[in-house]
Amino acid sequence: MTEKLRMASPDLAEANIDKLAELFPTVITEVHDEDGNLQRAVDFDSLRQELSGCIVEGPQERYRLDWPGKRAAAFAANAPIAKTLRPVREESVDFDATENIFIEGDNLDALKLLQESYLGKVKLIYIDPPYNTGNDFVYNDTFANSSADELRRSGQTDNEGVPLVANTDSNGRFHTSWLNMMYPRLRLARNFLTDDGVLVVSIDENEHANLIELGKTVFGDASYVGEIVLKNSNKNDQSFISIQHEYIVFFVKNKQANSGEWVEKKEGLEKIYATFNRFRKEHGDDWAAINRAAKTWYKTFPPNDPVFASKHYDNMDARGIYFGSDISGPNDGQYVYDVLHPITGKPCKRPSRGWVFPEASMKEQILNNRVHFGLDHTTVPKIKTYLKDTEYQSLTSIRFVDGRAASKRLAKLFGEKVFTNPKDEFLLRDIFRAVGVGGEDIVLDMFAGSGSAMHAVLERNRSEASSSCRYIGIQIAEDLHESLKTAKGAARKITSNAIDLLTELGRPATVAEITKQRMRIVNKQLDGDLLVDSGFRVLKVDTSNLVDVWTAPDNIAQDILTESITSLKKDRTAKDLLFQVLLDWGLELSSSIIRETVDNREVYAVDDDALIACFAESVSPEVVRAIAERSPLRAVFRDDAFETDATRINTEQIFREVSPSTEVRTI
């Protein structure tokens, strides 16, 4: 029965070996590890032979993105960690009912811990990573090199630190550090995406080119599907060219599974409809007067206003607002005949390629008032295209967004400015909708920052009754005091007001606390909306629930041995152990949890008895039988809860008799 749970993140290298063993069993061999124990390994010479038609040998030149530390970064993505996620009920909102998750900690650790629970379940991953403006990274991974090491290895300095090339800040180190930080995270992120999943990344010009190549490296060349150029500034303070835009870059996991039919509703429609209704009241059925008024009105909008993009919809009839579109035929000279002008009675000027319809169809269109005629027969008629029929358009590559709007909304939310240049939650909401996020989809943001993407998910749900998306947000507990000291220019995201606010609330001065506080405020705003789940479960990355034992067996004193009977840390609660079990068994962290009491012992039923856990320090036969009679899919107990071998054997016997299909384990 009692196979022990692993209590660590999955070993992705081992998982990859398993996949290779399925495809190429002859390439799997055995080698001795550092302790002399046999372990599986891949014979790469044999693997080259298996792939002899397409392998690139040794140092031969090939097209790929390379940088110092790439192999170490890949190793960092695969290496298991002895960590866990601990629930924090007092920092959560609606802990028992919500399906949203917020994780505080390094996102590399969090992504590893979530691998089995969310493999292939996330529809969209949004990230707003560090833009690499030359400042030190918060994400200081253990495999990353120091600045001096990186400069030496990349050939920018010699062993004594003397520069070998000019302008070291723009050579190697900054780009390498950023790539080493991003590479393992993107590799892990890809595993979460559904087959039709989408990765959306906000980035500026510093790493834009590298991001696209890195995305292709991780997701495949065909994965990159385009980008939005986001004009969000009018600043004029740079040499050469003043950068007034950022990028939102899109990758898809599988083009065959994602049709790419991404559409968005045109902006400014409400204003257009309201204005034309006013024109109709003023001019009645004088369509020419309405056309003149519309042309004048459209001229009052600058090119970056969304109304300006629809300025060609300047005509109106009894059906609604329209513009006259081209009536030319698809093939030169295919449909050539006379169309008489309704007023002059003379043949209208024909388009050079002939008409788009055969003559009978054209007569029907004219009869139904679907053709727009000029003042007389000297102009080519046009087909009426109505605004109400074309409210949606393909996701467009250029977007004008006032960068101050999101900042003002966030400042209003907090009552003061605490975060500079947050991402626009309404823009993200519209992007999520456009790429098909809806229903019960999951959105993951592993650089949560101010919480804009999490807020956008709630706005997505609020805007459409059929949408009940969930979010997983991850944010490291970056110290705000240190951020204010080191961050400069655009990299400075936090204001001193944030520290004052958190101090007043009695909370640590970290970015993660700002994220949580924003979502608490949003929850209060949406409290009356029963259709939107605006709560969130807080979990924090922490050390393993298992005791660290570093003493050699010969040196363990009797009193230490007595204290070490249990392998679990004394400060860990039953809820801590339960969430560890959820991770180990690959269950979602948003699963429903019901606490019950059986024979004076605490029992947790998860997700309608998909799992029943009892972490009491001793387990009675009554508890075991009560759990077995519910026939859960899985059951788990503390390993030290069985005082004798007889108790353990009796537990095995009860499950064999009462619920033989239940998978039973211990921790």
Side-chain angles (χ1 to χ4, degrees):
M1 171 198 82
T2 54
E3 178 185 347
K4 282 196 175 185
L5 287 167
R6 181 181 61 248
M7 307 288 278
S9 70
D11 188 332
L12 299 181
E14 279 297 314
N16 289 335
I17 291 176
D18 288 339
K19 293 172 186 175
L20 280 174
E22 269 188 56
L23 294 171
F24 310 110
T26 59
V27 309
I28 305 302
T29 184
E30 290 184 339
V31 296
H32 287 95
D33 63 16
E34 294 177 355
D35 299 323
N37 301 314
L38 283 175
Q39 65 176 24
R40 289 191 311 165
V42 176
D43 183 337
F44 285 98
D45 287 334
S46 297
L47 184 59
R48 286 189 182 92
Q49 185 61 45
E50 293 281 358
L51 302 174
S52 58
C54 57
I55 193 71
V56 179
E57 292 291 346
Q60 182 177 334
E61 292 178 347
R62 80 285 308 269
Y63 180 79
R64 67 178 183 184
L65 178 64
D66 246 334
W67 66 90
K70 182 178 180 182
R71 290 183 182 179
F75 175 79
N78 290 332
I81 55 172
K83 294 188 179 183
T84 190
L85 294 175
R86 299 180 66 187
V88 189
R89 175 180 284 272
E90 62 272 17
E91 295 183 17
S92 306
V93 174
D94 201 12
F95 186 95
D96 291 324
T98 186
E99 293 190 72
N100 299 314
I101 302 294
F102 178 76
I103 298 171
E104 183 175 317
D106 190 312
N107 51 20
L108 186 62
D109 292 340
L111 292 173
K112 289 183 178 185
L113 293 169
L114 296 174
Q115 283 291 302
E116 295 193 10
S117 295
Y118 293 94
L119 182 69
K121 293 182 179 180
V122 175
K123 177 60 180 285
L124 182 141
I125 296 174
Y126 171 76
I127 59 175
D128 178 23
Y131 279 6
N132 198 17
T133 57
N135 297 292
D136 292 334
F137 288 103
V138 175
Y139 297 87
N140 187 22
D141 301 322
T142 55
F143 66 86
N145 302 305
S146 69
S147 298
D149 289 342
E150 189 58 58
L151 289 168
R152 280 195 298 272
R153 191 158 92 166
S154 60
Q156 296 181 58
T157 66
D158 62 18
N159 291 332
E160 282 71 46
V162 178
L164 298 179
V165 295
N167 193 20
T168 59
D169 282 359
S170 63
N171 285 276
R173 178 167 68 91
F174 291 123
H175 295 299
T176 294
S177 298
W178 189 86
L179 288 165
N180 278 331
M181 183 273 294
M182 288 293 293
Y183 186 45
R185 288 166 173 83
L186 288 185
R187 281 175 61 113
L188 292 174
R190 185 182 185 279
N191 300 334
F192 291 105
L193 287 176
T194 58
D195 211 29
D196 64 345
V198 184
L199 171 68
V200 182
V201 188
S202 289
I203 202 72
D204 73 353
E205 73 281 359
N206 287 299
E207 297 295 347
H208 172 248
N210 278 335
L211 170 69
I212 293 175
E213 292 308 313
L214 186 62
K216 290 179 180 179
T217 298
V218 175
F219 288 80
D221 284 343
S223 64
Y224 169 66
V225 293
E227 62 195 40
I228 290 174
V229 178
L230 186 67
K231 188 184 187 305
N232 58 357
S233 168
N234 289 311
K235 66 182 181 180
N236 187 26
D237 57 357
Q238 289 177 276
S239 301
F240 301 108
I241 296 175
S242 185
I243 306 299
Q244 300 181 357
H245 68 275
E246 294 181 355
Y247 302 91
I248 303 176
V249 185
F250 294 78
F251 301 89
V252 295
K253 186 175 181 179
N254 185 342
K255 269 189 176 178
Q256 280 65 49
N258 192 318
S259 63
E261 296 176 1
W262 297 353
V263 295
E264 60 181 345
K265 193 169 185 177
K266 295 174 182 175
E267 294 184 82
L269 296 184
E270 294 79 7
K271 191 179 291 186
I272 294 172
Y273 285 131
T275 301
F276 270 84
N277 285 338
R278 177 168 58 83
F279 292 158
R280 184 76 191 276
K281 289 178 182 177
E282 292 174 359
H283 301 289
D285 290 345
D286 187 346
W287 310 120
I290 291 175
N291 173 248
R292 290 192 296 271
K295 286 180 179 294
T296 301
W297 179 68
Y298 278 125
K299 289 178 181 177
T300 65
F301 294 93
N304 63 344
D305 192 290
V307 170
F308 188 84
S310 297
K311 68 182 187 301
H312 50 297
Y313 286 91
D314 56 6
N315 280 289
M316 192 177 193
D317 65 13
R319 280 197 184 89
I321 305 165
Y322 72 88
F323 85 95
S325 57
D326 187 19
I327 202 168
S328 298
N331 301 310
D332 195 9
Q334 185 174 1
Y335 301 120
V336 178
Y337 48 84
D338 287 337
V339 172
L340 303 182
H341 192 275
I343 296 176
T344 67
K346 296 181 179 180
C348 291
K349 182 179 179 180
R350 285 198 298 262
S352 59
R353 293 200 308 269
W355 307 105
V356 68
F357 304 116
E359 189 170 7
S361 297
M362 178 65 85
K363 288 180 179 178
E364 185 178 352
Q365 294 291 327
I366 295 172
L367 185 64
N368 291 327
N369 194 26
R370 296 278 182 170
V371 176
H372 174 87
F373 288 93
L375 294 176
D376 58 33
H377 56 275
T378 60
T379 59
V380 179
K382 296 179 179 179
I383 287 292
K384 293 180 180 181
T385 299
Y386 289 91
L387 183 58
K388 64 183 179 181
D389 297 328
T390 57
E391 290 185 340
Y392 287 85
Q393 62 186 3
S394 297
L395 199 60
T396 52
S397 63
I398 297 177
R399 193 72 59 100
F400 296 90
V401 174
D402 186 348
R404 298 166 297 181
S407 295
K408 289 178 180 178
R409 288 195 300 272
L410 190 60
K412 185 177 180 181
L413 205 63
F414 279 97
E416 55 190 330
K417 187 175 183 179
V418 298
F419 207 98
T420 64
N421 303 316
K423 291 299 177 283
D424 190 306
E425 71 276 17
F426 293 145
L427 172 62
L428 295 180
R429 173 202 62 191
D430 294 343
I431 288 174
F432 294 170
R433 181 196 292 122
V435 302
V437 171
E440 297 182 356
D441 288 337
I442 299 175
V443 173
L444 168 65
D445 181 1
M446 56 182 171
F447 294 90
S450 69
S452 295
M454 297 154 63
H455 192 168
V457 171
L458 304 189
E459 290 295 336
R460 171 76 185 102
N461 293 341
R462 191 166 71 155
S463 67
E464 193 171 319
S466 63
S467 179
S468 54
C469 305
R470 300 171 281 160
Y471 68 71
I472 301 172
I474 307 172
Q475 175 58 45
I476 196 168
E478 179 183 348
D479 187 284
L480 299 186
H481 296 282
E482 292 301 316
S483 297
L484 283 173
K485 287 179 188 176
T486 59
K488 299 175 183 177
R492 189 165 182 164
K493 299 289 186 184
I494 296 292
T495 72
S496 58
N497 293 335
I499 297 176
D500 296 339
L501 173 68
L502 294 173
T503 302
E504 186 178 329
L505 294 170
R507 300 189 182 279
T510 68
V511 175
E513 290 297 335
I514 288 291
T515 318
K516 288 181 283 186
Q517 187 59 21
R518 175 182 187 166
M519 300 315 294
R520 292 187 189 105
I521 297 171
V522 172
N523 169 264
K524 288 181 180 178
Q525 287 189 337
L526 297 177
D527 190 42
D529 195 334
L530 300 178
L531 297 179
V532 179
D533 171 13
S534 58
F536 55 96
R537 283 182 180 176
V538 174
L539 299 106
K540 295 187 179 182
V541 176
D542 206 335
T543 57
S544 170
N545 289 317
L546 295 177
V547 173
D548 295 322
V549 179
W550 299 102
T551 308
D554 292 344
N555 297 328
I556 298 179
Q558 184 61 41
D559 58 340
I560 297 177
L561 189 61
T562 304
E563 292 176 0
S564 301
I565 289 174
T566 177
S567 61
L568 302 174
K569 292 178 179 175
K570 291 181 179 180
D571 66 334
R572 301 306 162 97
T573 67
K575 275 283 181 70
D576 292 331
L577 302 180
L578 178 62
F579 275 83
Q580 175 75 65
V581 170
L582 294 183
L583 291 171
D584 282 359
W585 248 318
L587 298 175
E588 292 189 9
L589 300 179
S590 59
S591 300
S592 63
I593 301 170
I594 299 175
R595 179 184 174 277
E596 304 173 13
T597 301
V598 179
D599 194 28
N600 295 319
R601 289 166 175 83
E602 198 175 55
V603 171
Y604 293 94
V606 177
D607 208 11
D608 295 326
D609 290 355
L611 164 69
I612 297 182
C614 178
F615 301 114
E617 293 184 2
S618 67
V619 177
S620 67
E622 289 76 16
V623 172
V624 173
R625 184 166 292 277
I627 292 175
E629 286 176 350
R630 292 168 63 166
S631 299
L633 293 176
R634 310 167 185 89
V636 64
F637 305 91
R638 288 175 63 125
D639 189 56
D640 58 3
F642 304 105
E643 296 176 356
T644 65
D645 287 341
T647 307
R648 189 184 301 272
I649 293 169
N650 185 46
T651 300
E652 295 176 0
Q653 186 63 30
I654 290 172
F655 273 97
R656 273 200 297 266
E657 292 176 358
V658 179
S659 183
S661 62
T662 298
E663 185 178 356
V664 185
R665 294 192 188 179
T666 63
I667 61 172

